[in-house]
Amino acid sequence: MNTSPYPHLLAPLDLGFTTLKNRVLMGSMHTGLEDKAEHFPRLAAYFAERARGGVGLMVTGGYAPNIEGWLSPFGSRLASSSAAKKHLLVTNAVHAEGGKIALQILHAGRYGYSPLSVAPSKLKSPITPFTPRALSASGIERQIRCFVRCAKLAREGGYDGVEIMGSEGYFINEFLTSYTNRRTDEWGGSYENRMRLPVEIVRRVREAVGPDFIIIFRLSLIDLVPGGSTWDEVVQLAKAIEKAGATIINTGIGWHEARVPTIATSVPRAAWTWLTKKLKPELSIPVITSNRINVPEVAEQVLADGCADMVSMARPFLADPEFVSKAASGRRDEINVCIGCNQACLDHIFAQKMSSCLVNPRACNETELIYTPSAKRRRFAVVGAGAAGIAAATVLGERGHEVHLYEASDKVGGQLNMAASIPGKEEFHEMLKYFKRKLEVTGVRVHLNTRADAASLAAAKYDEVFIATGVIPRDPKIPGQDHPKVLSYIDVLARRVPVGQKVAIIGAGGIGFDVAEFLAKGEHSPTLHLDEWLAEWGVVDPSTTPGGVTKPRPSAPIRQITLLQRKAGKPGAGLGKTTGWIHRAELKSRGVEMLGSVNYEQISDQGLLISFGEKREKSTWLEVDNIVLCAGQLPLRELAEPLTALGVKVTLLGGADEAGELDAKRAINQASRAAAAA
Ligand code: NAP
Ligand code: SF4
């Protein structure tokens, strides 16, 4: 009898010449550590930790096969034997932990943020400023040879295989659709011609690397751009790629320029597995499904339902390197779940910063952020059980200290509890569950309903007190704001005070947007209803519409909402780089009006009087039932001064330290580092 908690997920996968120990692929994620060899010791530690955690196969971030394929100038590239040798540091570290790793070959094509970029045709992408050079036939031949060289070098560098990136709208993908391939030679025109490039690459790579080397081909199953591939083309290509010698087909979902979210937290879990389920019966090699699969029970179900042979998870391995070993040993509740926020991973990469993880600041910092067991057990108090307080308490507990966590309310989580109530942010419940379990595992003594005061903290003679008491809402001081129409975001999100049909929201920061989504969607979350969510974003079966995207069909607005800010420019500009556009699009589709450059003049029975312009020459009444204040926050740290006066060592964390632009990423990172250093 198989007693594994996840029998499908944890079953080995026999590839003929080698066997993967389970069905989990750690998908490719660019971390920023790939670009320079001086970062390879960090990269080696990062992958080794994940190999130790038991994942079946890992794929590196993308490496360009030549400078024309650069994602950005001087970015990661593998084009010489001397470069390949440096990779041995990474591959040896992985193999020493019993892991397997493949190198991703990524030719950026017209997505290259570089003046040297090349493509099938001279067509600029909407997301890059450079127009690519159209390749000549001999130029195409040269690119193929570079792919082959890169694969051979990967083998030299100790990798177990390569992943050839054929999706997401990059170089190979650009050849496949007439939307980006306008050629009339043997590389354009008919589909046979357009798919010649990937097939040639796979065939020649196989010839060059021999039969006992993993070749994964990442194939775009749904392009999500108008004029993208049809389903028949996808199947035709997959079959040809299998015949050309690929070992495994991995899934790509959507081009980067697509206006449909594919991995954000508001995308339903396992939203795209219906596509691999359609493809799998057409092939005899294994198929990997991916995107928004972040917990083992969903991965298991996807495999049990026959949607794929393997599951790719990328960000979940930033969040928890021990994902597989915890799942295998019945410790699902100890998995630090990726919440799909993108805040410390993709948003960092797009800002040319090193990637990490909001819920796990050790990600990509394995060599410098170490929670060393303490030689001496000391006593700490942490006041406030929000994100910062819990992070500090659990790291201190993990290091072996005695930790007392004081929380004035009846539950832990602080503002995370409000975040979890927003439709589309359900993943925050996972974070709360994890935190609660982690407090137990690390032996932190939690004192709920306890408002710690300076005198009793001092009397308890703690070695140090961490103050993580959070924030209080900023008072915007608008004349008439004591009117009963006026509510705070806490009234709306935490106290669930009833809100009328017409609403004005003051402040368009993270919380203003959250409140707008909460009020626009009501209690109903499309994230929990796949068909509805697909319709809202215009996603259809690519068998019926090339590219699988058509006109969005949003739900009817349930309220009339105006979201306001004083500064000029588009509201939401400060939201995440890779997710702000999703929030704006969702609110727009629900009829939310967004206004900048406003002054707040007065609140009365009539509603909210706003004016425009420096001289406030134009004004208008917003005749609303309620006005919700989301005007930012101020630090709450009243304990700091009296404790210091009593001679207690005090450290301020999170919002209590700095409330401006506060978010959970900064709070957890700061608190974990402070606790690691204490
Ligand atoms: P915030 O993002 O700093 O936004 C505060 C808003 O209040 C701004 O729109 C600001 O716009 C307005 N404001 C500031 N002073 C005001 C005043 N005196 N009178 C009227 N309006 C004023 O703060 P938040 O919305 O409270 O969010 C806190 C943090 O939580 C955010 O920084 C964010 O990182 C995090 N969070 C993130 C998310 C997310 O989805 N990533 C969601 C929720 C919260 P004007 O000054 O232009 O009027
Ligand atoms: Fe997941 Fe957010 Fe961490 Fe990225 S930063 S890995 S999306 S939890």
Side-chain angles (χ1 to χ4, degrees), residues 343 425 474-476 506-512 514 564-567 575-576 583 600 630-633 661-663:
Q343 282 174 248
K425 284 193 157 182
R474 178 187 282 127
D475 178 357
I506 289 181
I511 293 182
D514 271 2
L564 303 153
Q565 69 178 22
R566 298 170 307 170
K567 61 177 110 30
L575 298 177
H583 296 298
Y600 308 114
C630 307
Q633 318 182 63
E661 313 237 312
L662 168 71
D663 63 16

Side-chain angles (χ1 to χ4, degrees), residues 218-428:
R218 182 117 170 245
L219 196 147
S220 181
L221 297 199
I222 185 166
D223 293 336
L224 299 175
V225 288
S229 293
T230 65
W231 184 250
D232 287 347
E233 289 171 347
V234 168
V235 174
Q236 191 181 337
L237 175 62
K239 287 182 169 171
I241 292 290
E242 172 173 355
K243 206 165 151 219
T247 323
I248 304 173
I249 298 277
N250 192 5
T251 304
I253 303 291
W255 289 28
H256 284 320
E257 68 203 67
R259 301 317 280 166
V260 176
T262 56
I263 59 167
T265 191
S266 56
V267 176
R269 284 179 172 180
W272 311 101
T273 52
W274 53 281
L275 288 154
T276 34
K277 191 170 190 175
K278 264 166 81 85
L279 180 66
K280 190 171 139 54
E282 309 277 355
L283 303 174
S284 47
I285 56 173
V287 174
I288 305 178
T289 199
S290 80
N291 287 42
R292 278 294 284 128
I293 299 168
N294 60 342
V295 288
E297 61 276 18
V298 172
E300 172 69 15
Q301 195 59 49
V302 162
L303 296 180
D305 290 346
C307 298
D309 302 282
M310 251 184 120
V311 173
S312 168
M313 290 176 269
R315 297 171 300 167
F317 283 94
L318 283 179
D320 198 334
E322 295 177 81
F323 184 101
V324 174
S325 55
K326 286 179 181 173
S329 57
R331 293 183 294 141
R332 154 66 177 96
D333 57 355
E334 290 180 33
I335 294 179
N336 197 358
V337 174
C338 163
I339 57 169
C341 65
N342 286 357
Q343 282 174 248
C345 51
L346 289 188
D347 284 351
H348 276 208
I349 289 300
F350 278 85
Q352 262 85 50
K353 289 199 284 189
M354 215 65 94
S355 183
S356 187
C357 174
L358 179 143
V359 300
N360 172 27
R362 286 198 69 246
C364 302
N365 297 310
E366 284 79 8
T367 53
E368 51 104 7
L369 181 55
I370 301 168
Y371 304 148
T372 324
S374 176
K376 184 166 171 256
R377 183 171 161 88
R378 295 162 66 217
R379 294 179 68 248
F380 288 85
V382 180
V383 187
I390 297 175
T394 52
V395 171
L396 289 168
E398 189 173 332
R399 296 187 55 217
H401 294 301
E402 179 183 326
V403 189
H404 293 261
L405 176 62
Y406 295 95
E407 168 57 40
S409 79
D410 60 354
K411 55 176 176 285
V412 301
Q415 296 220 352
L416 299 174
N417 289 297
M418 280 193 280
S421 70
I422 311 298
K425 284 193 157 182
E426 290 79 7
E427 293 292 355
F428 277 84

Side-chain angles (χ1 to χ4, degrees), residues 24-55:
V24 184
L25 180 90
M26 174 177 151
S28 174
M29 277 277 305
H30 203 75
T31 63
L33 294 172
E34 300 80 4
D35 298 347
K36 293 198 181 98
E38 72 198 52
H39 290 141
F40 278 22
R42 271 173 77 180
L43 196 60
Y46 162 78
F47 279 121
E49 192 159 318
R50 281 142 184 91
R52 197 156 52 244
V55 58

Side-chain angles (χ1 to χ4, degrees), residues 80-147:
S80 68
S81 264
S82 59
K85 284 197 185 77
K86 298 192 174 121
H87 285 255
L88 286 167
L89 189 69
V90 173
T91 52
N92 287 339
V94 168
H95 294 147
E97 297 292 350
K100 285 192 164 55
I101 185 163
L103 176 126
Q104 189 189 66
I105 310 178
L106 167 64
H107 189 308
R110 69 178 193 143
Y111 282 166
Y113 201 86
S114 149
L116 304 175
S117 64
V118 294
S121 303
K122 192 178 170 184
L123 294 169
K124 192 178 94 58
S125 94
I127 56 170
T128 33
F130 299 99
T131 302
R133 178 168 58 82
L135 285 164
S136 63
S138 62
I140 293 174
E141 182 58 37
R142 199 171 57 247
Q143 306 307 308
I144 298 173
R145 285 202 302 268
C146 291
F147 270 91

Side-chain angles (χ1 to χ4, degrees), residues 501-537:
Q501 284 304 303
K502 294 185 185 170
V503 188
I505 299 174
I506 289 181
I511 293 182
F513 266 77
D514 271 2
V515 168
E517 288 198 38
F518 180 81
L519 293 176
K521 291 179 181 168
E523 297 291 324
H524 186 76
S525 177
T527 298
L528 304 178
H529 303 272
L530 179 59
D531 287 345
E532 200 180 304
W533 185 90
L534 293 172
E536 284 210 345
W537 287 98

